[in-house]
Amino acid sequence: MLNQGDACPLGDGVIYVARAGQSLTERLRAAIQAKPDHFHPQHDTAGDAAAEPELYLNATRDTRYAHERHPVFDHVVTLFTQQWVGIRASAGSLPGAKLAIGKAAQMGPSQVRELLQILEDLKVHTVLVHGLSDGVIRAVHAIRIARPELRICAIWHGALAAWSLDEERGMAQRLFELATEGVFDSISVMKRGAHVLHPKAVPYLVPNFPPTVSLRRLRPAGSSEKRTALFGSWNNTWKNMYANVAGAALSRSIDEVISYSDVDGHLVDSSKIRRAHYRNRSHHFALLANVDLVLNATVVDCHPMVEMEALAVGTPVLRGPLDLDFGQETAFEKLLTVQSPHNIAEIVETIDRISSVPADEMADIIADYKQLVMTTAIGRYADFLKS
Amino acid sequence: MQRVCFVSFEIVPFTGGGIGTWLGNTLNAFQSPDTHCHVLFYGRQAISQVEFATAYPNATLHVLDVTAPGDDVLLPGQPAEPTPFESSKTWVSYALMRKLEQLERDLGGFDIIEFVDWGGPGFFTIQQKKLGRSFANTDVVVRLHGTETILRQFETRPWGYENLTLADIEHQAISQADYCVSHIKTNIIAYQETYGLPDTWATRCIVELPPIKANTDAIDTITPTSSTNLCFSSKFQGVKRPILFLAGAVEFMSASAEYTGSAIFAAFISDQAQVHQIHQIIPEHLSDRVTLATSASNEARDKVIRSSVVIFPNAFETFCFAAYEASMAGGVVVLNEKNSAFGPDTPWIDGVNCLKFDGTVAGLVALLARIFEPGNWATLGAKLAPIKYHHEPVPYWLQKRGRQIPAPAISHAPAPVSIVIPNRHGPDELLLQLQDIAAVEDRPYEIIVVDRGSDDYASRHVLDLLETSDTDNGPHSVRVLRRTTASNYAALANAGIAAAQHDIVAILPKRQRDTSSFIGAAADAIAAGGADIVLPTLRILKHYDDLDVLKFWIPLGGALRTNLFVNRFGFGAFIARRDLLIRQPFDEALPGEWSWDVLLRLAYSGSNVVVDIDRGPSVTESDLWHWSSAKEHERQRLIEGVRRNAWRMRDRLDFPWTSLGDGELTSSEWSIAPQAQVELQNARNHIAWLESERRHLIQDVPESASSGDGTLARLQAEHRAAVEAYQALANARTVRLALRLGNTVKRVLGRGR
């Protein structure tokens, strides 16, 4: 545990934990004195309007789909990595301030100053970290040193199966190290049962929020004569694209299957398949809000934003067994979950079953489940941010 | 009792000026139980309530500080500062409108609000009345004192953008007012010719001789002697022709050995350049006989006038109080017969109450020779006497002329409207726009989406759903027309207009949001006859989800001059009568600026264009860039196309060539390509960031300055390079920036009459 005034090794250097009551400049000095040579001010390409600053507070993309202010998130700032788009989308749904940090942000003197100023201006009591990167790690280190009184909580996205990838595994390791070192006061792994990995991990899931989307459906899902299903993900191992697309194509309930990824027509009957391109999130919502079913029967997942986005616009989601710790008895879970995502026949049956539900009944099922997700998430965050 | 509000920037005795004199005379002449006069004063002079009440005990003073109107005048959400109005006169007109709205809220409405014509201060008040928003039971009137446009036919103005906007709001205020009031009939003819106003405008005008308060009521006109002075008592202003007076007087004095009088300028100075010019041309041998008594007291001036031959070589006047005052005081009045204010259909009769000359130096010299020829006065001035003048005893607001012209009666049944949306891609934007429009649930509407070959799946899917959905929902419907990429924006808009079923059409470009309140209000105003076309005021946001308006973009209505050089109609969103757009469709042959072109043609063809300052779509600044061409050669090509089309429409109004200089200067200022402006701004931002980094590094890690650490050296080198790059960009535009600065200074300081 870091105490105020302690000298403490950090990397190759030594840092001094700031004392309460020190000025911003003194806290800044404490934060950057570990290894001055390590910090080189850098500036992204001048005049390039598309590049984001490495510390980007309340970017439009991070706030436009956020929920309204909620007391649980008062004096909370949510940190995440700019380039981790899925985690960024997840964080973007939350109420409150958002700080997007470049994955390789060096956190030089000016950036640390800026970071600390942001915390002061927003009167932050709690820092909520979603996912990790080198840039985020440097940032939370600086915060812990300069502002030891703040609570810092971290949420890890993704299942352990992803640790087959070196970068994922390395960052997971850093998560636990930072918890052990006292940088994080509490952590949550978004997978049921994963709390046994660290004593600071809370035993409950802290679910994602559905985003707030102002687009409304032109007609209820399932009410069109021509029914469309959307596979809106990448074609990789855990997204299980071919099972989803093949199952939908084989279902007589579906007239058209739209995919954001190329589908090999030799393996799947391509007569129903249509290729679409993901342009941006707003464009995606326009399509999402006007299809009848989203295909997301994945083999590895935590709490998918694909499902949260579909809930936001009232579109049912075909899903795999997510093993969440809430909602198991809901009609949504029972109706839309494929128990074995490898089983194409089951996928076809599930799609046909979904399609047989009257449109207005399905709309109620989705609305009820969305409300449950929201209520659960708010309650869990309330506990987590104080744990 | 009639409640009459005079809106003025002059009023005697607190200010000088002919308008101030007329207003003072009017307030004094028409005190009666039937009239309560109010004055809304917006001049620079501070006037206290006590001072005003002493001078005009039966009138009520309201004051507007146009530099800071105040929170009770400008309500939250309304434009609250001058910058988006781009010219001081437009801002003044707007501030006056808000003040009058406040007075209407607090005091109830006036029966008459009368504006001066100069500066177009009535423009925005008239727009609000046309929209049925305010002043429903008030006649909004403009009195013809002499506009900038009229004056500019007789004297020069420095070139500038503000000249264009000023001329345009004056023009629109005059043509759109409920009616105009003129001292004499000849002004109506002059204004009609100058502005190309139709006969229907002239028939709405009232002619009324104004009250005059003479300082002296002489029984006889003086008999001039060889020492009687020659006097110029007008202002030092080009239109008053002081140089002609001096030239005539000097030539006469040089030619006449017997004449011993002097030439006296007992004149108010409004143009130092004229004074300087006069000093330059006074001959040496007459320098002691030409006097500039510009700072004489009123008493001294009156004494000079009533004992002089008072000469008015003025090229144009709407009345000329000074001539009447001089005649009533007993002076011999000499008038330029070419000035319509002194011609037929006026009280001036040659040989009876004045003597007239032909407006030339030679003519003036010849007349002076006849006046001062020994023994000739008995014949020449035999009948000459002070003018017998009687003003209109009952002012127009008390006469039963059936003049009250009510505001457009906004029907309780909301007007149906067809909304045309030219579309390509962007299904999310289209859906959000449709949602915005759905808020217009209280009226029948149809939406016609005209698609330009959208080929992405999401767009096609959404359009298919729109086509096949049950979107013919009683009074509301959505239709989709499919076109290919060969159709440009103009072709899409024309297709939508042709397919429209209602008499009122809204053209809505993509990415302009929150349009529902504007559409409804504008449609109702058009249906009620208050307008043919309504232009919205744009709310510029940083991002579409922002609630705070960064700034406003305010159109100038049917501005015929300004819009020949820059687009001040808007960015595509407007509402108009469908029949107008059928007669004048969008020009599909143009490569861009289609909305600018069609609106200019409609304005030139006489359409009544009204500005809604309170309502309009929200749009981001970055979206507006797409509406203007970034490349200079494209910009020129587009402007030429727009002008070529407008040229064909100008059968009524001949474009005044005096505005060409204003336009050349404006075009050259505005020709800095948007991209170059972005480059300049980026360069400035980069320099600012480097300076900040350097400052923080030195402050937070002091040892970096001396440690040899390369960080600081790198920052400094980068800073030097950035400054050089910025200077290279900026130097190319130095001349244009200087011109822009010049106009800004002029705008800030203001220009007097």
Side-chain angles (χ1 to χ4, degrees):
Chain A
M1 170 63 78
L2 291 174
N3 294 311
Q4 295 178 9
D6 281 355
C8 153
L10 176 64
D12 295 340
V14 174
I15 58 160
Y16 295 88
V17 178
R19 291 182 175 76
Q22 285 183 315
S23 69
L24 183 62
T25 301
E26 289 163 331
R27 288 170 179 259
L28 174 66
R29 186 175 296 278
I32 68 172
Q33 272 185 337
K35 192 175 180 182
D37 288 344
H38 176 63
F39 299 109
H40 294 296
Q42 289 178 13
H43 179 57
D44 254 338
T45 50
D48 180 356
E52 293 181 317
E54 288 194 316
L55 292 180
Y56 199 173
L57 179 66
N58 291 331
T60 301
R61 65 182 286 182
D62 300 323
T63 56
R64 72 181 298 191
Y65 300 113
H67 283 265
E68 288 181 349
R69 178 194 160 264
H70 192 285
V72 167
F73 289 87
D74 285 349
H75 306 293
V76 176
V77 63
T78 303
L79 260 66
F80 46 88
T81 304
Q82 290 172 3
Q83 290 84 353
W84 304 163
V85 294
I87 294 175
R88 188 170 188 174
S90 164
S93 302
L94 302 177
K98 315 288 172 56
L99 184 57
I101 298 179
K103 69 178 180 182
Q106 295 296 308
M107 299 309 296
S110 67
Q111 284 180 330
V112 173
R113 168 178 285 275
E114 188 182 345
L115 174 63
L116 296 179
Q117 192 65 57
I118 288 170
L119 298 179
E120 195 159 299
D121 292 343
L122 295 176
K123 297 182 175 48
V124 168
H125 297 162
T126 306
V127 177
L128 171 64
V129 180
H130 273 260
L132 286 185
S133 62
D134 289 337
V136 168
I137 290 171
R138 293 188 190 108
V140 295
H141 255 135
I143 296 171
R144 175 53 74 211
I145 292 164
R147 297 291 304 273
E149 74 281 11
L150 297 184
R151 286 194 60 72
I152 307 179
C153 308
I155 294 182
W156 177 262
H157 294 249
L160 271 63
W163 291 5
S164 59
L165 301 169
D166 293 342
E167 191 179 7
E168 281 283 306
R169 192 174 66 252
M171 283 296 158
Q173 184 181 348
R174 293 295 289 127
L175 171 80
F176 299 128
E177 288 171 357
L178 290 168
T180 304
E181 288 168 17
V183 175
F184 293 140
D185 295 299
S186 64
I187 60 175
S188 167
V189 181
M190 205 180 281
K191 205 63 195 162
R192 197 167 171 187
H195 62 280
V196 300
L197 293 170
H198 197 281
K200 281 195 175 175
V202 296
Y204 47 84
L205 294 181
V206 183
N208 286 319
F209 277 43
T212 301
V213 180
S214 49
L215 275 176
R216 292 193 294 271
R217 301 188 64 89
L218 286 173
R219 51 173 56 177
S223 64
S224 306
E225 281 189 18
K226 184 175 94 169
R227 296 195 178 199
T228 49
L230 170 67
F231 180 80
S233 297
W234 305 271
N235 177 20
N236 61 21
T237 308
W238 54 80
K239 294 294 186 183
N240 198 26
M241 181 185 81
Y242 277 99
N244 279 274
V245 169
L250 288 167
S251 166
R252 274 181 279 193
S253 308
I254 298 296
D255 300 296
E256 215 167 62
V257 182
I258 310 150
S259 173
Y260 281 153
S261 298
D262 287 328
V263 177
D264 187 344
H266 296 106
L267 294 169
V268 176
D269 177 11
S270 60
S271 61
K272 288 186 185 179
I273 311 291
R274 304 285 178 267
R275 178 75 159 87
H277 295 276
Y278 183 93
R279 305 275 169 125
N280 54 55
R281 209 167 173 212
S282 178
H283 189 274
H284 166 65
F285 281 135
L287 181 59
L288 187 64
N290 289 291
V291 296
D292 301 291
L293 180 67
V294 172
L295 304 169
N296 199 48
T298 55
V299 297
V300 176
D301 229 324
C302 52
H303 194 209
M305 279 308 293
V306 170
E307 179 166 305
M308 294 301 100
E309 289 170 351
L311 284 180
V313 296
T315 305
V317 187
L318 181 76
R319 65 223 282 272
L322 300 177
D323 194 29
L324 303 175
D325 61 355
F326 66 91
Q328 293 92 330
E329 297 305 315
T330 60
F332 184 92
E333 170 103 14
K334 292 177 181 173
L335 185 63
L336 295 163
T337 304
V338 175
Q339 295 304 323
S340 176
H342 305 284
N343 188 334
I344 299 196
E346 185 188 351
I347 290 176
V348 175
E349 284 169 15
T350 307
I351 291 174
D352 289 342
R353 188 171 68 234
I354 293 168
S355 300
S356 68
V357 176
D360 51 354
E361 188 179 331
M362 178 60 78
D364 288 341
I365 290 171
I366 295 169
D368 289 345
Y369 187 74
K370 178 183 167 188
Q371 183 60 39
L372 175 65
V373 171
M374 283 300 306
T375 307
T376 305
I378 289 283
R380 301 281 176 90
Y381 266 105
D383 293 337
F384 178 58
L385 294 173
K386 289 183 170 50
S387 63
Chain B
M1 180 174 68
Q2 295 285 293
R3 284 150 54 95
V4 182
C5 182
F6 297 98
V7 184
S8 178
F9 59 96
E10 289 179 355
I11 181 165
V12 297
F14 310 105
T15 73
I19 291 175
T21 303
W22 156 80
L23 181 55
N25 294 344
T26 299
L27 292 178
N28 287 326
F30 295 126
Q31 297 182 55
S32 78
D34 298 322
T35 301
H36 188 129
C37 290
H38 296 249
V39 173
L40 174 53
F41 179 75
Y42 62 100
R44 290 191 189 130
Q45 185 76 23
I47 306 176
S48 73
Q49 292 288 343
V50 170
E51 288 175 311
F52 186 86
T54 303
Y56 303 104
N58 295 309
T60 302
L61 174 69
H62 310 281
V63 175
L64 176 68
D65 179 358
V66 295
T67 63
D71 293 339
D72 52 348
V73 173
L74 299 175
L75 302 180
Q78 296 175 342
E81 47 108 23
T83 305
F85 292 87
E86 295 186 320
S87 83
S88 59
K89 299 299 181 295
T90 321
W91 163 253
V92 166
S93 174
Y94 168 77
L96 286 169
M97 176 272 285
R98 291 300 189 205
K99 179 65 179 177
L100 288 165
E101 285 188 328
Q102 182 216 6
L103 291 174
E104 184 169 79
R105 285 194 299 272
D106 294 347
L107 305 178
F110 295 109
D111 297 288
I112 305 278
I113 297 175
E114 184 183 299
F115 290 93
V116 303
D117 58 350
W118 184 82
F123 174 69
F124 274 108
T125 300
I126 293 167
Q127 307 305 295
Q128 293 294 78
K129 179 165 181 181
K130 293 290 183 193
L131 291 168
R133 197 156 290 152
S134 306
F135 318 116
N137 297 312
T138 304
D139 287 2
V140 182
V141 179
V142 175
R143 187 177 290 258
L144 308 183
H145 292 279
T147 60
E148 267 292 292
T149 308
I150 295 281
L151 292 175
R152 199 161 180 204
Q153 297 177 74
F154 303 100
E155 57 190 42
T156 301
R157 293 285 183 264
W159 293 356
Y161 177 65
E162 180 140 353
N163 292 333
L164 298 174
T165 61
L166 174 55
D168 280 328
I169 64 170
E170 283 181 340
H171 183 173
Q172 291 179 87
I174 289 163
S175 65
Q176 292 180 325
D178 289 330
Y179 48 92
C180 293
V181 181
S182 176
H183 302 318
I184 49 180
K185 184 180 173 184
T186 53
N187 293 334
I188 296 170
I189 298 165
Y191 274 60
Q192 209 178 347
E193 284 174 358
T194 299
Y195 288 108
L197 296 165
D199 292 338
T200 49
W201 172 83
T203 57
R204 293 204 316 269
C205 290
I206 296 170
V207 178
E208 198 168 272
L209 285 173
I212 296 176
K213 178 178 168 242
N215 293 329
T216 314
D217 274 321
I219 297 172
D220 299 307
T221 301
I222 63 167
T223 298
T225 69
S226 60
S227 62
T228 299
N229 294 322
L230 309 174
C231 178
F232 177 90
S233 65
S234 297
K235 265 198 301 194
F236 275 100
Q237 188 178 350
V239 67
K240 311 287 184 182
R241 298 292 190 262
I243 306 299
L244 195 155
F245 163 79
L246 178 64
V250 163
E251 293 294 342
F252 171 69
M253 288 193 286
S254 297
S256 170
E258 295 80 18
Y259 179 73
T260 59
S262 295
I264 302 176
F265 285 93
F268 175 64
I269 295 178
S270 66
D271 186 350
Q272 283 290 351
Q274 291 276 321
V275 175
H276 179 72
Q277 193 177 1
I278 284 166
H279 277 295
Q280 295 292 309
I281 66 176
I282 295 175
E284 186 66 36
H285 70 282
L286 289 175
S287 60
D288 59 341
R289 290 175 65 191
V290 178
T291 306
L292 270 65
T294 55
S295 54
S297 66
N298 285 341
E299 291 76 20
R301 184 171 174 274
D302 289 345
K303 187 177 174 185
V304 167
I305 288 171
R306 63 174 178 260
S307 62
S308 299
V309 174
V310 191
I311 299 169
F312 295 90
N314 315 23
F316 177 85
E317 291 283 344
T318 53
F319 189 68
C320 195
F321 285 87
Y324 291 84
E325 288 161 358
S327 178
M328 289 176 180
V332 174
V333 171
V334 171
L335 303 176
N336 177 356
E337 68 182 14
K338 296 293 196 292
N339 186 330
S340 59
F342 304 143
D345 292 323
T346 75
W348 297 107
I349 304 170
D350 193 9
V352 174
N353 47 34
C354 67
L355 299 170
K356 297 186 184 180
F357 73 105
D358 63 2
T360 67
V361 172
L364 178 57
V365 172
L367 177 59
L368 290 174
R370 287 170 56 210
I371 291 172
F372 290 102
E373 184 180 335
N376 193 42
W377 185 254
T379 308
L380 183 63
K383 297 179 186 172
L384 208 67
I387 189 166
K388 289 178 174 43
Y389 179 84
H390 303 284
H391 67 81
E392 180 68 54
V394 180
Y396 67 90
W397 58 81
L398 290 180
Q399 297 200 26
K400 299 233 184 282
R401 301 185 197 225
R403 289 263 176 215
Q404 183 165 49
I405 299 172
I410 305 298
S411 167
H412 290 297
V417 61
S418 297
I419 303 167
V420 176
I421 303 177
N423 182 72
R424 177 161 166 84
H425 296 151
D428 48 332
E429 297 155 4
L430 177 61
L431 287 172
L432 287 170
Q433 214 163 24
L434 297 181
Q435 283 175 203
D436 285 348
I437 294 166
V440 186
E441 291 173 1
D442 61 337
R443 68 186 60 245
Y445 66 81
E446 61 170 355
I447 297 173
I448 303 171
V449 178
V450 192
D451 183 67
R452 187 180 173 236
S454 296
D455 54 5
D456 65 291
Y457 182 88
S459 292
R460 291 203 313 268
H461 185 67
V462 166
L463 291 172
D464 288 344
L465 277 179
L466 286 173
E467 274 186 321
T468 58
S469 291
D470 182 16
T471 49
D472 192 349
N473 183 16
H476 308 138
S477 70
V478 178
R479 280 190 281 158
V480 177
L481 304 182
R482 310 265 190 169
R483 296 291 182 273
T484 71
T485 52
S487 288
N488 59 19
Y489 181 94
L492 300 180
N494 286 339
I497 292 163
Q501 295 175 349
H502 298 306
D503 294 332
I504 297 170
V505 174
I507 309 294
L508 255 196
K510 291 280 288 294
R511 303 177 73 81
Q512 294 192 22
R513 301 279 312 279
D514 307 317
T515 52
S516 53
S517 64
F518 162 65
I519 291 174
D524 289 341
I526 293 173
D532 296 321
I533 300 167
V534 180
L535 304 177
T537 294
L538 269 66
R539 275 90 179 118
I540 313 288
L541 311 175
K542 193 173 175 190
H543 304 290
Y544 276 113
D545 301 307
D546 278 348
L547 294 176
D548 293 330
V549 176
L550 274 181
K551 53 187 174 183
F552 296 89
W553 194 96
I554 300 170
L556 276 175
L560 299 176
R561 295 159 190 76
T562 309
N563 283 295
L564 278 179
F565 299 99
V566 289
N567 175 9
R568 277 300 169 268
F569 285 118
F571 291 88
F574 66 93
I575 295 185
R577 283 176 24 210
R578 178 174 177 270
D579 63 304
L580 296 178
L581 291 169
I582 295 292
R583 274 207 300 275
Q584 293 289 341
F586 284 78
D587 185 351
E588 297 160 9
L590 286 178
E593 300 286 11
W594 301 282
S595 300
W596 179 9
D597 164 71
V598 73
L599 287 167
L600 190 58
R601 280 186 279 121
L602 287 169
Y604 263 98
S605 66
S607 296
N608 184 15
V609 184
V610 173
V611 173
D612 189 340
I613 189 70
D614 290 320
R615 294 191 171 117
S618 302
V619 63
T620 63
E621 193 154 34
S622 57
D623 282 334
L624 292 184
W625 286 130
H626 302 301
W627 285 90
S628 302
S629 52
K631 296 186 173 51
E632 177 61 13
H633 73 273
E634 274 181 18
R635 190 191 69 86
Q636 290 182 12
R637 192 167 142 227
L638 285 167
I639 286 183
E640 183 156 315
V642 168
R643 287 187 192 153
R644 186 165 49 240
N645 284 344
W647 183 260
R648 298 197 192 107
M649 305 301 304
R650 44 175 269 296
D651 57 340
R652 274 191 311 107
L653 173 67
D654 222 341
F655 178 71
W657 291 15
T658 45
S659 296
L660 281 174
D662 305 321
E664 283 180 28
L665 187 62
T666 301
S667 280
S668 108
E669 284 189 338
W670 287 68
S671 70
I672 297 176
Q675 184 56 36
Q677 288 178 324
V678 170
E679 287 172 13
L680 274 172
Q681 186 60 48
N682 285 340
R684 280 194 284 268
N685 289 346
H686 185 42
I687 290 170
W689 180 85
L690 286 167
E691 286 168 351
S692 170
E693 280 294 292
R694 188 178 61 182
R695 210 164 40 244
H696 287 149
L697 185 64
I698 292 170
Q699 179 181 344
D700 299 328
V701 189
E703 51 270 30
S704 65
S706 57
S707 68
D709 184 295
T711 306
L712 185 61
R714 273 199 301 280
L715 274 175
Q716 288 170 331
E718 205 173 332
H719 183 263
R720 275 195 300 275
V723 169
E724 284 170 13
Y726 175 76
Q727 284 173 345
L729 274 175
N731 283 344
R733 289 153 184 87
T734 301
V735 170
R736 289 183 181 136
L737 288 174
L739 290 172
R740 187 194 296 267
L741 177 62
N743 272 320
T744 302
V745 170
K746 190 168 62 181
R747 201 159 48 236
V748 169
L749 293 179
R751 243 192 2 254
R753 277 192 84 180

